[in-house]
Amino acid sequence: MSEHSERTRPRYGGASRWRRAQWSAGMSERWQRVRHHPGAVAAMFLLPAGFGFVVFYLWPTIRALWMSFTDYNLLRGSGDWVGLQNYQDLVADPLFWHSMRVTALYVVLNIGVQTALALAMAVMMDRLTRSALVRGVLVLPWLIPQVVVGLLWLWMLDPRLGVVNHVLDWVGIGGQDFLGSPAQVIPTLAGVNTWRFVGYTALLIFAGLQMIPRHLYEAAALDGAGEWRTFWRVTLPLLRPVLALVLVLSVVGSFQVFDLVQVATGGIGGQPGGPANSSLVIYVYIFRHAFNFNNAGYAAAMSAVLAVLLAAVTFFIMRGLRGSRSDLA
Amino acid sequence: MTSTTSAPTGRQTAPRRPARRPRRPLRFRLSRIAAWAVLALLLAGTLLPFYWILRTAFSTNSALFTGDQSVLPPEPTWVNFRRVLGLASPEEVRAAGGSGAELQFWLYLRNSVVFATLVTVGQVACCAMAAYAFARLHWRGRDAVFYLFLSTLMVPPIFLLIPNFVLLSEVGLLDTFVGLVAPYFFMTPFMVFFLRQFFLGMSSELEDAARMDGAGHPRIFLRICVPVMAAPLSTAAILSYVSAWNEFMWPLVAGSDPSVRVLTVGLSAFRSGQPQAAPDWTGLMAATVLGALPVILLFLAMGRRIVDSIRFTGLK
């Protein structure tokens, strides 16, 4: 198969070039060369996406970096070079460090619970059912807008009228403040996000489980290994590259939580990030500086630090779990 | 083929079946039942909040404020949906304890549909072309350019949010559909990556045959690749539609004007819109149901395709 396709795939030279030249004898030779030059053809196909890439990804990246060294103001629409001032301010800004700590706590709680639960769900599904209905139901919260998820839980967790407190009262635990309590707001948000993403994460892991050859399980069973032992000795090691990818996707995503906090915190009519900045995650803080305080330069500096941090996190997860290498190969 | 394979399997299964049964003891069956119970619990936990949205949407505000938490709505009513859709009479609206008029549902719905549709059409077309160039063409520097595209996956959206906002305000496209759609229209790194995976896996035989017949690349792309890739392309379209529909941060800053405000932004304004008054939960939940409905309908129609696509999002 591979030999066959290698042989018949013309690489813009030799026989096919000759044949094409024969057929298109009527056309100008020069136009033909341009039209069929591999670089020219590729450029034509890449034109729209390349335009979007340069205008909305590459250029803004450079520009944001430049902005981070200025006192850019969105109302004025301009900024003056201030050198490293923004970065010095950032190091000295207690709220920046506070928001980093809040975000880190959120990420740890969210990813810890979510990954463990998703792994358990994936293994169970692998053993019990292949049903598309089950998978569909589990992935449903992932499809709903984060804004809707936030409003839904804001209502269900309402301290006075929410159904969750009603159930807690009934069980005898007593009502909680949840999103209104400085101590509970981050764990609550982490829980809500886990509700939204755990099914999706489980499906990613489930897809990875499908790639583990069945005969390895049979061999383990023949050797007398139980479920528990098989999981730790066979499933988990072979799942490592998949887990690394899932962790990268979910950690990086979790660091960037915004919609949920913006919608569900601060109570009705309050400032997002509340109560008293206890849910001021980094995205909300950056957003506040850029669009409420008109410190776009400072906001750009903070996003640059965040970008470097996320790249570092990705690197360490991939390295720590040797994510780019599989034991199956 | 049939004679060679069916004979040994028949031989294998016949003696194995009875031998296997005694090896599954009661403990095994119990743990299986327990696992099913846990899974059922998780499914219920996933679905119950959705039920609670519906239950609230069919209740009246006055019933909610008495603290009634019965499983079925206390006084089932359609008034909230009619209110959100602007079909209710003023008396009904006043009686229900909120107008729901500040949420201009039809307008925001139209805006969401326009936004998501334009994004999907542009993104799938442009990214499919790019994927073709990255997967089926051979040119110098191809992999370097691809990894440059891919590297923008690592740039957090908020880093691009501020300069893109500035760019649009400079060219005067804030609060227009063109400006709202533009950053998503041409490409997202994910979509290029996603489609390239499929184009890489395409067999080259049809392509070679077409080239033998003298077809140029535009024709090969349109007449061969697009039809062959119809399934992945429609999956890509669903994914980009859903994510455009759910988009919040960009429309919040670039499309705050009511004429282009999308549903997510409109719904979020509800919360900050009424500082003192008791919130109109039933109206909001009715709007939420209607706002999530298109995505849920899409899901019911194409659920399997979305579920199957998830394995391609990162694992290859």
Side-chain angles (χ1 to χ4, degrees), chain A residues 120 123-124 126-128 217 220-221 223-237, chain B residues 23-25 27-29 31-32 35:
Chain A
V123 171
M124 271 194 289
D126 191 40
R127 286 307 167 80
L128 294 179
Y217 292 122
D223 288 347
E227 290 272 338
W228 192 244
R229 211 177 147 92
T230 311
F231 173 75
W232 287 104
R233 295 295 173 82
V234 178
T235 312
L236 211 52
Chain B
R23 274 176 55 198
R24 308 243 139 137
R27 205 167 66 90
F28 177 86
R29 290 210 307 268
S31 69
R32 210 175 157 81

PDB file of all heavy atoms in Angstrom, chain A residues 120 123-124 126-128 217 220-221 223-237, chain B residues 23-25 27-29 31-32 35:
ATOM      1  N   ALA A 120     -12.045   7.701  36.798  1.00  0.00           N
ATOM      2  CA  ALA A 120     -12.920   6.643  37.306  1.00  0.00           C
ATOM      3  C   ALA A 120     -14.083   6.406  36.351  1.00  0.00           C
ATOM      4  O   ALA A 120     -14.431   5.259  36.032  1.00  0.00           O
ATOM      5  CB  ALA A 120     -13.429   7.021  38.693  1.00  0.00           C
ATOM      6  N   VAL A 123     -12.878   4.563  33.149  1.00  0.00           N
ATOM      7  CA  VAL A 123     -12.607   3.141  33.356  1.00  0.00           C
ATOM      8  C   VAL A 123     -13.913   2.372  33.495  1.00  0.00           C
ATOM      9  O   VAL A 123     -14.086   1.285  32.939  1.00  0.00           O
ATOM     10  CB  VAL A 123     -11.705   2.944  34.590  1.00  0.00           C
ATOM     11  CG1 VAL A 123     -11.602   1.481  34.946  1.00  0.00           C
ATOM     12  CG2 VAL A 123     -10.329   3.528  34.325  1.00  0.00           C
ATOM     13  N   MET A 124     -14.872   2.971  34.228  1.00  0.00           N
ATOM     14  CA  MET A 124     -16.168   2.301  34.382  1.00  0.00           C
ATOM     15  C   MET A 124     -16.865   2.141  33.044  1.00  0.00           C
ATOM     16  O   MET A 124     -17.385   1.076  32.724  1.00  0.00           O
ATOM     17  CB  MET A 124     -17.048   3.103  35.340  1.00  0.00           C
ATOM     18  CG  MET A 124     -16.867   2.707  36.779  1.00  0.00           C
ATOM     19  SD  MET A 124     -18.170   3.354  37.799  1.00  0.00           S
ATOM     20  CE  MET A 124     -17.789   5.065  37.808  1.00  0.00           C
ATOM     21  N   ASP A 126     -15.509   2.019  30.160  1.00  0.00           N
ATOM     22  CA  ASP A 126     -14.752   1.054  29.368  1.00  0.00           C
ATOM     23  C   ASP A 126     -15.187  -0.365  29.705  1.00  0.00           C
ATOM     24  O   ASP A 126     -15.261  -1.240  28.847  1.00  0.00           O
ATOM     25  CB  ASP A 126     -13.261   1.247  29.662  1.00  0.00           C
ATOM     26  CG  ASP A 126     -12.402   0.466  28.694  1.00  0.00           C
ATOM     27  OD1 ASP A 126     -12.758   0.438  27.501  1.00  0.00           O
ATOM     28  OD2 ASP A 126     -11.396  -0.112  29.124  1.00  0.00           O
ATOM     29  N   ARG A 127     -15.498  -0.601  30.991  1.00  0.00           N
ATOM     30  CA  ARG A 127     -15.899  -1.934  31.407  1.00  0.00           C
ATOM     31  C   ARG A 127     -17.370  -2.215  31.168  1.00  0.00           C
ATOM     32  O   ARG A 127     -17.759  -3.338  30.889  1.00  0.00           O
ATOM     33  CB  ARG A 127     -15.622  -2.111  32.906  1.00  0.00           C
ATOM     34  CG  ARG A 127     -14.203  -2.273  33.249  1.00  0.00           C
ATOM     35  CD  ARG A 127     -13.641  -3.390  32.417  1.00  0.00           C
ATOM     36  NE  ARG A 127     -12.194  -3.423  32.462  1.00  0.00           N
ATOM     37  CZ  ARG A 127     -11.518  -3.952  33.465  1.00  0.00           C
ATOM     38  NH1 ARG A 127     -12.156  -4.483  34.480  1.00  0.00           N
ATOM     39  NH2 ARG A 127     -10.216  -3.959  33.447  1.00  0.00           N
ATOM     40  N   LEU A 128     -18.197  -1.187  31.316  1.00  0.00           N
ATOM     41  CA  LEU A 128     -19.637  -1.438  31.384  1.00  0.00           C
ATOM     42  C   LEU A 128     -20.351  -1.248  30.065  1.00  0.00           C
ATOM     43  O   LEU A 128     -21.177  -2.060  29.681  1.00  0.00           O
ATOM     44  CB  LEU A 128     -20.279  -0.508  32.419  1.00  0.00           C
ATOM     45  CG  LEU A 128     -19.873  -0.734  33.858  1.00  0.00           C
ATOM     46  CD1 LEU A 128     -20.557   0.273  34.748  1.00  0.00           C
ATOM     47  CD2 LEU A 128     -20.226  -2.139  34.296  1.00  0.00           C
ATOM     48  N   TYR A 217      -4.962  -6.894  28.936  1.00  0.00           N
ATOM     49  CA  TYR A 217      -5.826  -7.170  30.090  1.00  0.00           C
ATOM     50  C   TYR A 217      -5.967  -8.671  30.290  1.00  0.00           C
ATOM     51  O   TYR A 217      -5.934  -9.172  31.414  1.00  0.00           O
ATOM     52  CB  TYR A 217      -7.216  -6.566  29.876  1.00  0.00           C
ATOM     53  CG  TYR A 217      -7.226  -5.058  29.891  1.00  0.00           C
ATOM     54  CD1 TYR A 217      -7.689  -4.350  28.794  1.00  0.00           C
ATOM     55  CD2 TYR A 217      -6.796  -4.354  31.004  1.00  0.00           C
ATOM     56  CE1 TYR A 217      -7.706  -2.970  28.801  1.00  0.00           C
ATOM     57  CE2 TYR A 217      -6.814  -2.975  31.020  1.00  0.00           C
ATOM     58  CZ  TYR A 217      -7.270  -2.279  29.912  1.00  0.00           C
ATOM     59  OH  TYR A 217      -7.289  -0.925  29.926  1.00  0.00           O
ATOM     60  N   ALA A 220      -2.921 -10.018  31.902  1.00  0.00           N
ATOM     61  CA  ALA A 220      -2.884  -9.680  33.320  1.00  0.00           C
ATOM     62  C   ALA A 220      -3.822 -10.580  34.104  1.00  0.00           C
ATOM     63  O   ALA A 220      -3.493 -11.061  35.201  1.00  0.00           O
ATOM     64  CB  ALA A 220      -3.252  -8.206  33.525  1.00  0.00           C
ATOM     65  N   ALA A 221      -5.019 -10.846  33.534  1.00  0.00           N
ATOM     66  CA  ALA A 221      -5.987 -11.690  34.230  1.00  0.00           C
ATOM     67  C   ALA A 221      -5.452 -13.116  34.348  1.00  0.00           C
ATOM     68  O   ALA A 221      -5.608 -13.762  35.378  1.00  0.00           O
ATOM     69  CB  ALA A 221      -7.318 -11.673  33.466  1.00  0.00           C
ATOM     70  N   ASP A 223      -2.425 -13.964  34.590  1.00  0.00           N
ATOM     71  CA  ASP A 223      -1.396 -13.962  35.620  1.00  0.00           C
ATOM     72  C   ASP A 223      -1.973 -13.767  37.009  1.00  0.00           C
ATOM     73  O   ASP A 223      -1.216 -13.637  37.982  1.00  0.00           O
ATOM     74  CB  ASP A 223      -0.374 -12.839  35.343  1.00  0.00           C
ATOM     75  CG  ASP A 223       0.492 -13.187  34.148  1.00  0.00           C
ATOM     76  OD1 ASP A 223       0.453 -14.359  33.745  1.00  0.00           O
ATOM     77  OD2 ASP A 223       1.171 -12.290  33.619  1.00  0.00           O
ATOM     78  N   GLY A 224      -3.296 -13.681  37.086  1.00  0.00           N
ATOM     79  CA  GLY A 224      -3.947 -13.608  38.388  1.00  0.00           C
ATOM     80  C   GLY A 224      -4.029 -12.213  38.981  1.00  0.00           C
ATOM     81  O   GLY A 224      -4.275 -12.058  40.167  1.00  0.00           O
ATOM     82  N   ALA A 225      -3.843 -11.180  38.159  1.00  0.00           N
ATOM     83  CA  ALA A 225      -3.949  -9.821  38.681  1.00  0.00           C
ATOM     84  C   ALA A 225      -5.414  -9.432  38.812  1.00  0.00           C
ATOM     85  O   ALA A 225      -6.216  -9.709  37.928  1.00  0.00           O
ATOM     86  CB  ALA A 225      -3.238  -8.854  37.754  1.00  0.00           C
ATOM     87  N   GLY A 226      -5.754  -8.807  39.913  1.00  0.00           N
ATOM     88  CA  GLY A 226      -7.131  -8.360  40.125  1.00  0.00           C
ATOM     89  C   GLY A 226      -7.379  -7.041  39.431  1.00  0.00           C
ATOM     90  O   GLY A 226      -6.482  -6.485  38.790  1.00  0.00           O
ATOM     91  N   GLU A 227      -8.632  -6.559  39.578  1.00  0.00           N
ATOM     92  CA  GLU A 227      -9.007  -5.295  38.925  1.00  0.00           C
ATOM     93  C   GLU A 227      -8.076  -4.165  39.349  1.00  0.00           C
ATOM     94  O   GLU A 227      -7.580  -3.416  38.534  1.00  0.00           O
ATOM     95  CB  GLU A 227     -10.434  -4.911  39.338  1.00  0.00           C
ATOM     96  CG  GLU A 227     -11.510  -5.796  38.762  1.00  0.00           C
ATOM     97  CD  GLU A 227     -11.952  -5.294  37.408  1.00  0.00           C
ATOM     98  OE1 GLU A 227     -11.733  -4.088  37.136  1.00  0.00           O
ATOM     99  OE2 GLU A 227     -12.486  -6.084  36.632  1.00  0.00           O
ATOM    100  N   TRP A 228      -7.876  -4.047  40.641  1.00  0.00           N
ATOM    101  CA  TRP A 228      -7.131  -2.930  41.220  1.00  0.00           C
ATOM    102  C   TRP A 228      -5.697  -2.906  40.699  1.00  0.00           C
ATOM    103  O   TRP A 228      -5.180  -1.905  40.241  1.00  0.00           O
ATOM    104  CB  TRP A 228      -7.173  -3.082  42.746  1.00  0.00           C
ATOM    105  CG  TRP A 228      -6.716  -1.881  43.493  1.00  0.00           C
ATOM    106  CD1 TRP A 228      -5.630  -1.816  44.306  1.00  0.00           C
ATOM    107  CD2 TRP A 228      -7.329  -0.582  43.521  1.00  0.00           C
ATOM    108  NE1 TRP A 228      -5.523  -0.560  44.838  1.00  0.00           N
ATOM    109  CE2 TRP A 228      -6.549   0.221  44.378  1.00  0.00           C
ATOM    110  CE3 TRP A 228      -8.451  -0.033  42.903  1.00  0.00           C
ATOM    111  CZ2 TRP A 228      -6.844   1.551  44.633  1.00  0.00           C
ATOM    112  CZ3 TRP A 228      -8.746   1.291  43.150  1.00  0.00           C
ATOM    113  CH2 TRP A 228      -7.959   2.064  44.006  1.00  0.00           C
ATOM    114  N   ARG A 229      -5.091  -4.108  40.760  1.00  0.00           N
ATOM    115  CA  ARG A 229      -3.705  -4.256  40.344  1.00  0.00           C
ATOM    116  C   ARG A 229      -3.574  -4.001  38.840  1.00  0.00           C
ATOM    117  O   ARG A 229      -2.639  -3.333  38.391  1.00  0.00           O
ATOM    118  CB  ARG A 229      -3.284  -5.685  40.661  1.00  0.00           C
ATOM    119  CG  ARG A 229      -1.835  -5.840  41.003  1.00  0.00           C
ATOM    120  CD  ARG A 229      -1.648  -7.312  41.355  1.00  0.00           C
ATOM    121  NE  ARG A 229      -0.313  -7.719  40.947  1.00  0.00           N
ATOM    122  CZ  ARG A 229       0.734  -7.662  41.768  1.00  0.00           C
ATOM    123  NH1 ARG A 229       0.586  -7.216  42.983  1.00  0.00           N
ATOM    124  NH2 ARG A 229       1.919  -8.060  41.354  1.00  0.00           N
ATOM    125  N   THR A 230      -4.524  -4.512  38.061  1.00  0.00           N
ATOM    126  CA  THR A 230      -4.485  -4.297  36.622  1.00  0.00           C
ATOM    127  C   THR A 230      -4.539  -2.810  36.312  1.00  0.00           C
ATOM    128  O   THR A 230      -3.823  -2.323  35.440  1.00  0.00           O
ATOM    129  CB  THR A 230      -5.687  -4.996  35.943  1.00  0.00           C
ATOM    130  OG1 THR A 230      -5.762  -6.323  36.428  1.00  0.00           O
ATOM    131  CG2 THR A 230      -5.534  -4.989  34.449  1.00  0.00           C
ATOM    132  N   PHE A 231      -5.392  -2.093  37.056  1.00  0.00           N
ATOM    133  CA  PHE A 231      -5.527  -0.655  36.813  1.00  0.00           C
ATOM    134  C   PHE A 231      -4.192   0.057  37.022  1.00  0.00           C
ATOM    135  O   PHE A 231      -3.756   0.840  36.190  1.00  0.00           O
ATOM    136  CB  PHE A 231      -6.594  -0.076  37.750  1.00  0.00           C
ATOM    137  CG  PHE A 231      -6.686   1.417  37.688  1.00  0.00           C
ATOM    138  CD1 PHE A 231      -7.278   2.040  36.605  1.00  0.00           C
ATOM    139  CD2 PHE A 231      -6.149   2.207  38.700  1.00  0.00           C
ATOM    140  CE1 PHE A 231      -7.342   3.426  36.541  1.00  0.00           C
ATOM    141  CE2 PHE A 231      -6.211   3.588  38.634  1.00  0.00           C
ATOM    142  CZ  PHE A 231      -6.815   4.191  37.551  1.00  0.00           C
ATOM    143  N   TRP A 232      -3.521  -0.270  38.151  1.00  0.00           N
ATOM    144  CA  TRP A 232      -2.278   0.451  38.471  1.00  0.00           C
ATOM    145  C   TRP A 232      -1.106   0.008  37.613  1.00  0.00           C
ATOM    146  O   TRP A 232      -0.230   0.812  37.298  1.00  0.00           O
ATOM    147  CB  TRP A 232      -1.924   0.271  39.949  1.00  0.00           C
ATOM    148  CG  TRP A 232      -2.825   1.068  40.829  1.00  0.00           C
ATOM    149  CD1 TRP A 232      -3.847   0.585  41.586  1.00  0.00           C
ATOM    150  CD2 TRP A 232      -2.813   2.490  41.034  1.00  0.00           C
ATOM    151  NE1 TRP A 232      -4.476   1.606  42.240  1.00  0.00           N
ATOM    152  CE2 TRP A 232      -3.857   2.790  41.930  1.00  0.00           C
ATOM    153  CE3 TRP A 232      -2.027   3.529  40.546  1.00  0.00           C
ATOM    154  CZ2 TRP A 232      -4.134   4.081  42.344  1.00  0.00           C
ATOM    155  CZ3 TRP A 232      -2.300   4.815  40.959  1.00  0.00           C
ATOM    156  CH2 TRP A 232      -3.344   5.087  41.841  1.00  0.00           C
ATOM    157  N   ARG A 233      -1.093  -1.295  37.239  1.00  0.00           N
ATOM    158  CA  ARG A 233       0.082  -1.810  36.541  1.00  0.00           C
ATOM    159  C   ARG A 233      -0.053  -1.795  35.022  1.00  0.00           C
ATOM    160  O   ARG A 233       0.941  -1.808  34.322  1.00  0.00           O
ATOM    161  CB  ARG A 233       0.369  -3.257  36.999  1.00  0.00           C
ATOM    162  CG  ARG A 233       0.751  -3.358  38.443  1.00  0.00           C
ATOM    163  CD  ARG A 233       2.080  -2.660  38.681  1.00  0.00           C
ATOM    164  NE  ARG A 233       2.402  -2.585  40.101  1.00  0.00           N
ATOM    165  CZ  ARG A 233       2.957  -3.596  40.779  1.00  0.00           C
ATOM    166  NH1 ARG A 233       3.238  -4.718  40.179  1.00  0.00           N
ATOM    167  NH2 ARG A 233       3.213  -3.446  42.065  1.00  0.00           N
ATOM    168  N   VAL A 234      -1.281  -1.854  34.517  1.00  0.00           N
ATOM    169  CA  VAL A 234      -1.459  -1.911  33.052  1.00  0.00           C
ATOM    170  C   VAL A 234      -2.104  -0.636  32.542  1.00  0.00           C
ATOM    171  O   VAL A 234      -1.535   0.083  31.713  1.00  0.00           O
ATOM    172  CB  VAL A 234      -2.319  -3.139  32.640  1.00  0.00           C
ATOM    173  CG1 VAL A 234      -2.518  -3.148  31.142  1.00  0.00           C
ATOM    174  CG2 VAL A 234      -1.662  -4.415  33.112  1.00  0.00           C
ATOM    175  N   THR A 235      -3.300  -0.323  33.062  1.00  0.00           N
ATOM    176  CA  THR A 235      -4.077   0.771  32.494  1.00  0.00           C
ATOM    177  C   THR A 235      -3.365   2.108  32.649  1.00  0.00           C
ATOM    178  O   THR A 235      -3.129   2.816  31.667  1.00  0.00           O
ATOM    179  CB  THR A 235      -5.448   0.847  33.181  1.00  0.00           C
ATOM    180  OG1 THR A 235      -6.005  -0.457  33.209  1.00  0.00           O
ATOM    181  CG2 THR A 235      -6.359   1.787  32.447  1.00  0.00           C
ATOM    182  N   LEU A 236      -3.010   2.423  33.875  1.00  0.00           N
ATOM    183  CA  LEU A 236      -2.470   3.761  34.145  1.00  0.00           C
ATOM    184  C   LEU A 236      -1.155   4.039  33.409  1.00  0.00           C
ATOM    185  O   LEU A 236      -1.015   5.090  32.782  1.00  0.00           O
ATOM    186  CB  LEU A 236      -2.319   3.952  35.657  1.00  0.00           C
ATOM    187  CG  LEU A 236      -2.494   5.393  36.148  1.00  0.00           C
ATOM    188  CD1 LEU A 236      -3.783   5.991  35.645  1.00  0.00           C
ATOM    189  CD2 LEU A 236      -2.462   5.416  37.671  1.00  0.00           C
ATOM    190  N   PRO A 237      -0.192   3.097  33.432  1.00  0.00           N
ATOM    191  CA  PRO A 237       1.058   3.383  32.702  1.00  0.00           C
ATOM    192  C   PRO A 237       0.822   3.579  31.201  1.00  0.00           C
ATOM    193  O   PRO A 237       1.438   4.441  30.586  1.00  0.00           O
ATOM    194  CB  PRO A 237       1.906   2.144  32.953  1.00  0.00           C
ATOM    195  CG  PRO A 237       1.364   1.526  34.177  1.00  0.00           C
ATOM    196  CD  PRO A 237      -0.092   1.846  34.190  1.00  0.00           C
TER     197      PRO A 237
ATOM    198  N   ARG B  23     -16.173 -18.865  36.342  1.00  0.00           N
ATOM    199  CA  ARG B  23     -15.102 -17.948  36.731  1.00  0.00           C
ATOM    200  C   ARG B  23     -15.633 -16.565  37.092  1.00  0.00           C
ATOM    201  O   ARG B  23     -14.873 -15.714  37.484  1.00  0.00           O
ATOM    202  CB  ARG B  23     -14.081 -17.832  35.600  1.00  0.00           C
ATOM    203  CG  ARG B  23     -13.043 -18.942  35.674  1.00  0.00           C
ATOM    204  CD  ARG B  23     -12.111 -18.868  34.507  1.00  0.00           C
ATOM    205  NE  ARG B  23     -11.483 -17.551  34.404  1.00  0.00           N
ATOM    206  CZ  ARG B  23     -10.904 -17.122  33.288  1.00  0.00           C
ATOM    207  NH1 ARG B  23     -10.900 -17.877  32.230  1.00  0.00           N
ATOM    208  NH2 ARG B  23     -10.347 -15.936  33.255  1.00  0.00           N
ATOM    209  N   ARG B  24     -16.913 -16.305  36.867  1.00  0.00           N
ATOM    210  CA  ARG B  24     -17.468 -15.006  37.275  1.00  0.00           C
ATOM    211  C   ARG B  24     -18.276 -15.209  38.549  1.00  0.00           C
ATOM    212  O   ARG B  24     -19.443 -15.570  38.484  1.00  0.00           O
ATOM    213  CB  ARG B  24     -18.411 -14.474  36.187  1.00  0.00           C
ATOM    214  CG  ARG B  24     -17.765 -14.454  34.827  1.00  0.00           C
ATOM    215  CD  ARG B  24     -17.678 -13.036  34.353  1.00  0.00           C
ATOM    216  NE  ARG B  24     -16.397 -12.824  33.716  1.00  0.00           N
ATOM    217  CZ  ARG B  24     -16.248 -12.145  32.573  1.00  0.00           C
ATOM    218  NH1 ARG B  24     -17.286 -11.652  31.973  1.00  0.00           N
ATOM    219  NH2 ARG B  24     -15.056 -11.958  32.071  1.00  0.00           N
ATOM    220  N   PRO B  25     -17.675 -15.029  39.687  1.00  0.00           N
ATOM    221  CA  PRO B  25     -18.385 -15.299  40.938  1.00  0.00           C
ATOM    222  C   PRO B  25     -19.353 -14.178  41.287  1.00  0.00           C
ATOM    223  O   PRO B  25     -19.412 -13.156  40.614  1.00  0.00           O
ATOM    224  CB  PRO B  25     -17.249 -15.368  41.969  1.00  0.00           C
ATOM    225  CG  PRO B  25     -16.182 -14.484  41.410  1.00  0.00           C
ATOM    226  CD  PRO B  25     -16.309 -14.537  39.920  1.00  0.00           C
ATOM    227  N   ARG B  27     -19.229 -12.090  43.605  1.00  0.00           N
ATOM    228  CA  ARG B  27     -18.544 -10.844  43.922  1.00  0.00           C
ATOM    229  C   ARG B  27     -18.382  -9.985  42.673  1.00  0.00           C
ATOM    230  O   ARG B  27     -18.540  -8.776  42.701  1.00  0.00           O
ATOM    231  CB  ARG B  27     -17.169 -11.175  44.502  1.00  0.00           C
ATOM    232  CG  ARG B  27     -16.594 -10.115  45.403  1.00  0.00           C
ATOM    233  CD  ARG B  27     -15.405 -10.685  46.154  1.00  0.00           C
ATOM    234  NE  ARG B  27     -14.313 -10.994  45.234  1.00  0.00           N
ATOM    235  CZ  ARG B  27     -13.353 -10.111  44.910  1.00  0.00           C
ATOM    236  NH1 ARG B  27     -13.361  -8.933  45.454  1.00  0.00           N
ATOM    237  NH2 ARG B  27     -12.390 -10.425  44.086  1.00  0.00           N
ATOM    238  N   PHE B  28     -18.073 -10.653  41.551  1.00  0.00           N
ATOM    239  CA  PHE B  28     -17.889  -9.933  40.301  1.00  0.00           C
ATOM    240  C   PHE B  28     -19.193  -9.266  39.877  1.00  0.00           C
ATOM    241  O   PHE B  28     -19.227  -8.116  39.507  1.00  0.00           O
ATOM    242  CB  PHE B  28     -17.410 -10.914  39.224  1.00  0.00           C
ATOM    243  CG  PHE B  28     -17.251 -10.275  37.885  1.00  0.00           C
ATOM    244  CD1 PHE B  28     -16.070  -9.645  37.556  1.00  0.00           C
ATOM    245  CD2 PHE B  28     -18.284 -10.294  36.962  1.00  0.00           C
ATOM    246  CE1 PHE B  28     -15.923  -9.040  36.330  1.00  0.00           C
ATOM    247  CE2 PHE B  28     -18.141  -9.690  35.729  1.00  0.00           C
ATOM    248  CZ  PHE B  28     -16.949  -9.062  35.419  1.00  0.00           C
ATOM    249  N   ARG B  29     -20.294 -10.061  39.986  1.00  0.00           N
ATOM    250  CA  ARG B  29     -21.579  -9.497  39.543  1.00  0.00           C
ATOM    251  C   ARG B  29     -21.987  -8.344  40.445  1.00  0.00           C
ATOM    252  O   ARG B  29     -22.488  -7.334  39.994  1.00  0.00           O
ATOM    253  CB  ARG B  29     -22.656 -10.585  39.562  1.00  0.00           C
ATOM    254  CG  ARG B  29     -22.454 -11.617  38.476  1.00  0.00           C
ATOM    255  CD  ARG B  29     -23.782 -12.217  38.020  1.00  0.00           C
ATOM    256  NE  ARG B  29     -24.564 -12.721  39.123  1.00  0.00           N
ATOM    257  CZ  ARG B  29     -24.500 -13.988  39.544  1.00  0.00           C
ATOM    258  NH1 ARG B  29     -23.686 -14.841  38.986  1.00  0.00           N
ATOM    259  NH2 ARG B  29     -25.259 -14.383  40.527  1.00  0.00           N
ATOM    260  N   SER B  31     -19.979  -6.296  42.043  1.00  0.00           N
ATOM    261  CA  SER B  31     -19.188  -5.096  41.765  1.00  0.00           C
ATOM    262  C   SER B  31     -19.661  -4.456  40.465  1.00  0.00           C
ATOM    263  O   SER B  31     -19.614  -3.242  40.307  1.00  0.00           O
ATOM    264  CB  SER B  31     -17.710  -5.441  41.700  1.00  0.00           C
ATOM    265  OG  SER B  31     -17.449  -6.221  40.566  1.00  0.00           O
ATOM    266  N   ARG B  32     -20.144  -5.304  39.555  1.00  0.00           N
ATOM    267  CA  ARG B  32     -20.665  -4.750  38.306  1.00  0.00           C
ATOM    268  C   ARG B  32     -21.944  -3.948  38.571  1.00  0.00           C
ATOM    269  O   ARG B  32     -22.133  -2.866  38.026  1.00  0.00           O
ATOM    270  CB  ARG B  32     -20.956  -5.908  37.351  1.00  0.00           C
ATOM    271  CG  ARG B  32     -20.802  -5.547  35.905  1.00  0.00           C
ATOM    272  CD  ARG B  32     -20.976  -6.778  35.050  1.00  0.00           C
ATOM    273  NE  ARG B  32     -21.369  -6.376  33.706  1.00  0.00           N
ATOM    274  CZ  ARG B  32     -20.508  -5.947  32.788  1.00  0.00           C
ATOM    275  NH1 ARG B  32     -19.231  -5.868  33.079  1.00  0.00           N
ATOM    276  NH2 ARG B  32     -20.933  -5.575  31.604  1.00  0.00           N
ATOM    277  N   ALA B  35     -20.936  -0.711  40.124  1.00  0.00           N
ATOM    278  CA  ALA B  35     -20.384   0.235  39.149  1.00  0.00           C
ATOM    279  C   ALA B  35     -21.502   0.878  38.340  1.00  0.00           C
ATOM    280  O   ALA B  35     -21.489   2.084  38.084  1.00  0.00           O
ATOM    281  CB  ALA B  35     -19.410  -0.480  38.230  1.00  0.00           C
TER     282      ALA B  35
END
